[in-house]
Amino acid sequence: MPLCSVTVYADNIEDEDISYNNMHARSVVARTLECTTFAIPAPVLPGAKILAYTAAHVSNFSTPSLIPLLDFEPPAGGLNFCNISITYTHPGQQDTVNTQVWLPDVWNERFLGNGGGGWAGGFIEPANSWAISQGYSAASTDGGHAFTTPVSEWGLISPGNVNLYALQDLASASLSDMAWLGKSLSATYYGKSPAFSYWNGCSQGGRQGMMMAQRFPDVYQGILAIAPAMNWNTFIPSTYWPQVNMNTLGVYPKACELNAFTAAATEACDALDGVTDGIISLPSLCRFDPFTLVGKNFSCDNAPSTYSQQTAMIVNATWNGPTTADGKSVWPGLTPDSSLLAQANTTCFSNGTCTGLPFNVGSEWIQYFVMKNASFDLTSITTDQFAGIVEASVDQFQSIIGTQNPNLSAFRDAGGKLLTYHGLADEYIPYPGTSMYRDRVEALDAGVDNYFRHFEAPGFAHCFGGMGAKPINALQDLVDWVEKGTPPNVLKAKAPARADGKMWERDLCLYPSISVYQGGDPSVAGSYKCI
C-alpha cells in the first residue's frame, strides 16, 4: 500500500536537482521520503504540458496478473517501488495521456518500456509489476485512452471525422513520450541514467516496438517485439474477412463445427515434419482441403452432425485470407491449426440460431476509422467490396500507424538490436506478416541478421497458448545480445505439459531456417535440427 503520496499540479511544480546514491541500502522510511514530488521534480516533456504528477512509495505490493504472458511469482514480501504517475496533454490537441513509471528499490540499472494489446496502449499494472520484479525500472502508458474506454468514445471527434490525434497517441506519440519520462525519472531517482534501455511487447505491444525501431531508432538499445501487429492497415481490416463470408452466405457455424475442421486439418498435416505432436510444424506444406469433409459425420456438442458445404467455404476463406474480386490475395490467412474462433467466431442462442461474433479491433477499425460512421452496418460489406475497404485503410492511415517501413538503417547505425518471434498457429495475426517484413528488410540490407533476428514458433498461438513451444526467456536472450554481443541462433522453448505430464522442449530456429525432426524422443530439443 502507498506510504506517502503527494499530488502536484503543473503550476506548482518546482525545479530541484537531487542525486541519490547507494539506493539499494536505503530503508523503507528513507524510500518514502525520497519518493515524493518534492524530491523528484516533474521532468520537462518536450511538446507536452503536464497536468498532474504524483509520486508514492509502495511496499509489499502484489497482484494477480490476468495476462498469462506477464504472469510471474512475486518475491516473498511483495514488490517495493516508487510509483510515479504522470498525466499530460499535447497543447492544442485536446488529448489526455496517462503514464506510470515504477522505480524498484533494487534496480538492475536497466529501463524497460512495456507495450499494450488490442486497443490498449499498455497494461500498466501487470506489465510494470513483471518488469520491476526482474529489477528493471519500468514504464507503461494508456496511449491516450483508458483500457476500459470503448473505441466508440474516442475514435471519432464527430460523425465523419476521425480523432487523428488520439490515433497518433496510440500509434507513436505516447511511446516516445513514455521512454523520455521513464529514462528521465530513472536518472533523477537513482542518480544516474539507465545503462541500457529495452522494449517488451506482444501484438499491439509488438507493433509499438517495431514503431520505436522504425521511427525512434535511438531510444532503445534492444527491442523484443512478439507477434507484432504491424502491417496494421492491411492486416487489421483483413481479420473481418471470415465474417464477410458468413454474412454473404447467411451461415454462422457453431464453434464445435469450426473446431472440428481445425482438428481434422491438424490430424492430416501433423506428421509432415516426421513427428506426431498435435501441431502443424510445416504449415506451408499443408494442403488439406476442407471440402473433403463435406457430408461426413462428426460429433458437435455431443450431438451427431454433418460437415456442411457452407462452413467449408467459410473455413477455406479464413485459411486463404481475403482476396480481390478477381481472386488476387490481399493478405495471408490463418494456418489450419490456428483456432478459427478468433476471426470466424459466432455466438449461438437457445433456439439454435447463431450470429457472427467478429474480432472487435478489426470490425471497429472498419466502422470507426475507415468508414468513419458509428452506425455503419458491417454486415452490408460484400466480398467484392472488401479489397477496396482494405485499400482505403492503407491510403488513409499508412503514415500514422502502418508500422511497416523496412528501412532500419538508422536503428542499425544506432547499435540497436531487434528480436521478434511469431507463433505459426497465431489465431489473430497471420505469421507470414512478420516473415514478409523481415524479407523486405533483408532486400535492403543483406546484413540484417546483425541487428534483426526473427524466429518462428510451430504450434504457438497469439502471445501465449497453443500446443507449441514458447521461448523460455527471450528478453534475456536480447539482453545478452545487446550487452555481451552474443546474438541468439536459437531460442530455447518449452511447450505445455502433455497428457503424460511431460514438458516438451524445442529450439526455435533463426529465420529462415526451420526445425526438422531427426528421430529420437520428440519431447527433447536435441531430437530436432535447424535446417
Side-chain angles (χ1 to χ4, degrees):
M1 60 178 292
L3 298 180
C4 178
S5 178
V6 180
T7 302
V8 177
Y9 291 89
D11 293 340
N12 298 323
I13 294 174
E14 300 178 1
D15 292 328
E16 292 184 53
D17 182 15
I18 302 176
S19 296
Y20 297 91
N21 298 308
N22 302 319
M23 294 294 293
H24 302 336
R26 305 273 185 168
S27 66
V28 171
V29 174
R31 294 284 189 190
T32 303
L33 297 175
E34 292 160 353
C35 182
T36 68
T37 53
F38 300 105
I40 312 170
V44 176
L45 180 60
K49 178 183 179 181
I50 294 180
L51 303 175
Y53 178 70
T54 67
H57 189 268
V58 180
S59 299
N60 305 322
F61 178 82
S62 64
T63 181
S65 176
L66 301 179
I67 304 172
L69 187 66
L70 299 172
D71 195 22
F72 69 100
E73 187 68 30
L79 300 170
N80 303 305
F81 61 98
C82 177
N83 180 2
I84 300 178
S85 299
I86 310 102
T87 301
Y88 65 92
T89 185
H90 300 99
Q93 298 184 11
Q94 297 182 327
D95 61 343
T96 302
V97 182
N98 294 283
T99 297
Q100 287 191 23
V101 178
W102 290 15
L103 306 168
D105 286 4
V106 180
W107 186 42
N108 64 13
E109 299 188 9
R110 301 181 181 99
F111 168 72
L112 186 67
N114 295 292
W119 287 121
F123 302 113
I124 293 178
E125 190 169 285
N128 281 356
S129 294
W130 183 89
I132 67 170
S133 76
Q134 308 300 305
Y136 293 89
S137 58
S140 189
T141 178
D142 69 0
H145 61 272
F147 172 68
T148 55
T149 303
V151 69
S152 60
E153 295 184 16
W154 64 267
L156 298 174
I157 54 175
S158 63
N161 295 293
V162 171
N163 189 343
L164 293 174
Y165 285 131
L167 182 60
Q168 178 178 269
D169 279 338
L170 174 67
S172 63
S174 67
L175 310 178
S176 59
D177 291 345
M178 180 182 74
W180 179 281
L181 291 168
K183 293 201 282 187
S184 175
L185 290 168
S186 294
T188 300
Y189 188 62
Y190 297 113
K192 57 182 175 181
S193 298
F196 299 96
S197 296
Y198 297 93
W199 175 270
N200 182 29
C202 183
S203 193
Q204 175 72 265
R207 185 207 63 80
Q208 292 168 322
M210 302 301 285
M211 177 66 81
M212 295 305 299
Q214 295 171 21
R215 195 168 296 184
F216 308 100
D218 59 351
V219 172
Y220 291 101
Q221 287 107 322
I223 293 174
L224 177 60
I226 307 164
M230 56 183 182
N231 311 295
W232 179 275
N233 299 306
T234 306
F235 123 74
I236 282 293
S238 293
T239 63
Y240 192 69
W241 175 248
Q243 300 288 326
V244 172
N245 281 267
M246 288 185 198
N247 296 331
T248 300
L249 294 169
V251 174
Y252 304 92
K254 291 183 178 180
C256 54
E257 185 175 6
L258 295 170
N259 289 336
F261 272 95
T262 301
T266 302
E267 182 179 6
C269 296
D270 185 348
L272 289 174
D273 62 337
V275 60
T276 301
D277 54 2
I279 63 176
I280 300 177
S281 292
L282 302 174
S284 62
L285 300 182
C286 183
R287 300 290 184 266
F288 181 75
D289 182 354
F291 293 100
T292 61
L293 296 177
V294 174
K296 295 182 179 180
N297 298 325
F298 71 101
S299 178
C300 190
D301 289 338
N302 298 317
S305 188
T306 303
Y307 289 104
S308 71
Q309 175 78 9
Q310 292 89 345
T311 301
M313 294 171 68
I314 293 166
V315 170
N316 192 56
T318 305
W319 289 348
N320 288 328
T323 60
T324 61
D326 58 358
K328 295 180 181 178
S329 176
V330 172
W331 196 248
L334 300 178
T335 53
D337 64 338
S338 302
S339 172
L340 290 164
L341 303 186
Q343 297 186 19
N345 203 7
T346 61
T347 182
C348 299
F349 307 96
S350 58
N351 63 2
T353 62
C354 300
T355 186
L357 185 63
F359 172 46
N360 71 296
V361 178
S363 60
E364 290 166 353
W365 177 258
I366 294 173
Q367 188 171 35
Y368 290 94
F369 293 92
V370 182
M371 306 310 294
K372 305 175 183 63
N373 181 357
S375 300
F376 177 74
D377 181 8
L378 289 160
T379 64
S380 69
I381 301 173
T382 68
T383 53
D384 287 350
Q385 294 171 334
F386 192 77
I389 288 175
V390 176
E391 184 177 359
S393 174
V394 173
D395 287 346
Q396 297 175 51
F397 301 104
Q398 187 71 348
S399 65
I400 299 177
I401 198 171
T403 325
Q404 59 194 67
N405 183 358
N407 185 354
L408 295 179
S409 59
F411 182 73
R412 175 200 64 203
D413 294 345
K417 307 299 181 186
L418 173 61
L419 182 62
T420 63
Y421 68 86
H422 206 138
L424 300 188
D426 193 315
E427 69 274 33
Y428 288 100
I429 305 177
Y431 80 90
T434 305
S435 55
M436 289 190 301
Y437 173 78
R438 191 269 179 200
D439 291 344
R440 293 173 60 224
V441 176
E442 184 178 28
L444 295 178
D445 183 1
V448 59
D449 284 346
N450 293 324
Y451 57 92
F452 175 18
R453 296 200 163 205
H454 175 55
F455 298 81
E456 294 181 340
F460 186 58
H462 185 63
C463 294
F464 56 86
M467 292 286 289
K470 169 192 172 184
I472 298 171
N473 197 344
L475 181 59
Q476 186 59 50
D477 292 326
L478 176 63
V479 169
D480 290 342
W481 188 11
V482 169
E483 299 180 18
K484 299 178 182 178
T486 54
N489 293 314
V490 298
L491 294 184
K492 299 293 183 183
K494 286 186 177 181
R498 301 301 174 97
D500 59 4
K502 184 180 292 186
M503 295 285 292
W504 285 47
E505 298 181 354
R506 187 170 183 177
D507 293 343
L508 305 187
C509 301
L510 176 64
Y511 179 85
S513 298
I514 59 175
S515 175
V516 179
Y517 179 62
Q518 303 295 300
D521 186 347
S523 69
V524 177
S527 298
Y528 302 83
K529 183 179 180 180
C530 292
I531 297 177

